[in-house]
Amino acid sequence: MFGGASWINARSLSVWSVGRLLRHGLAACYSLRAMDGELEFMQLALEEGRGAALAGEVPVGAVLVRAGEVIARSGNRTIRDCDPTAHAEIVVLREGARKIGNYRLIGTTLYVTIEPCSMCAGAIIQARVPRVVYGCDDPKGGAVRSCFEILTHPRLNHQVEVTSGVLSNECAALIQAFFAERR
């Protein structure tokens, strides 16, 4: 269910994550030690989100990591690319697949500033990304837990380990400030 990982980051576990672990009887097999670099990778995603905002895009950033190294990073590019599918997550999944040479992104972790939408969640499932770490929830379109639970749906052939709430205040502030300027 949780991608075979042997740990969960104690600094960023949400009540939801702990609840899912306990509900599925998995908490005992996970040590609650902090992962080196997790905050650093989310900071990189925030940088990408800030860059997207400067370009007039919705400020979402994503970073794809494999074996502790960044293999792809981007912000939203829907306006720049005139492409409704150019969400930050999709852009980094495409770039990561090209770099790895395989559309299956086994052994990767996707860091994203906001809860992925249903399109991005579907792409994460198709790419077989084993783990997603995100900052803030998206109550109007989140497909991890807010509106849907795509990444952990039991009827799908792949479930994703999810850690939410990493730098959630910073991630939420970025997107809220962007939309406040436009109102």
Side-chain angles (χ1 to χ4, degrees):
M1 165 115 187
F2 291 95
S6 60
W7 51 267
I8 295 287
N9 186 324
R11 290 177 296 190
S12 61
L13 273 178
S14 66
V15 173
W16 175 81
S17 298
V18 172
R20 288 192 75 83
L21 286 171
L22 294 173
R23 193 167 46 249
H24 294 288
L26 297 172
C29 68
Y30 291 89
S31 67
L32 297 177
R33 67 179 169 88
M35 174 185 167
D36 292 334
E38 185 164 279
L39 295 175
E40 179 183 341
F41 295 133
M42 188 59 76
Q43 285 288 358
L44 293 175
L46 276 163
E47 285 178 22
E48 293 297 326
R50 289 183 195 105
L54 292 173
E57 301 275 1
V58 175
V60 176
V63 174
L64 188 64
V65 175
R66 183 177 185 199
E69 293 186 33
V70 174
I71 60 171
R73 57 188 283 183
S74 184
N76 273 358
R77 296 180 4 187
T78 55
I79 297 167
R80 183 184 109 183
D81 293 355
C82 197
D83 178 357
T85 69
H87 289 193
E89 300 96 309
I90 301 292
V91 173
V92 300
L93 293 176
R94 288 176 180 156
E95 183 180 338
R98 279 192 291 273
K99 284 187 177 176
I100 291 173
N102 193 330
Y103 68 103
R104 299 284 195 224
L105 297 171
I106 308 300
T108 61
T109 299
L110 177 64
Y111 293 84
V112 62
T113 55
I114 193 167
E115 180 180 5
C117 71
S118 58
M119 175 185 68
C120 294
I124 291 164
I125 294 290
Q126 293 302 313
R128 302 298 191 268
V129 172
R131 182 168 185 249
V132 170
V133 177
Y134 72 89
C136 62
D137 291 335
D138 181 359
K140 294 184 180 182
V144 175
R145 70 176 182 175
S146 296
C147 297
F148 308 103
E149 291 187 15
I150 293 173
L151 296 183
T152 56
H153 196 284
R155 293 189 64 191
L156 294 175
N157 61 345
H158 176 71
Q159 285 83 42
V160 178
E161 174 192 329
V162 174
T163 303
S164 62
V166 177
L167 298 178
S168 62
N169 291 338
E170 294 90 334
C171 294
L174 178 62
I175 201 144
Q176 289 167 353
F178 176 82
F179 285 112
E181 288 177 13
R182 280 149 182 78
R183 290 188 182 118

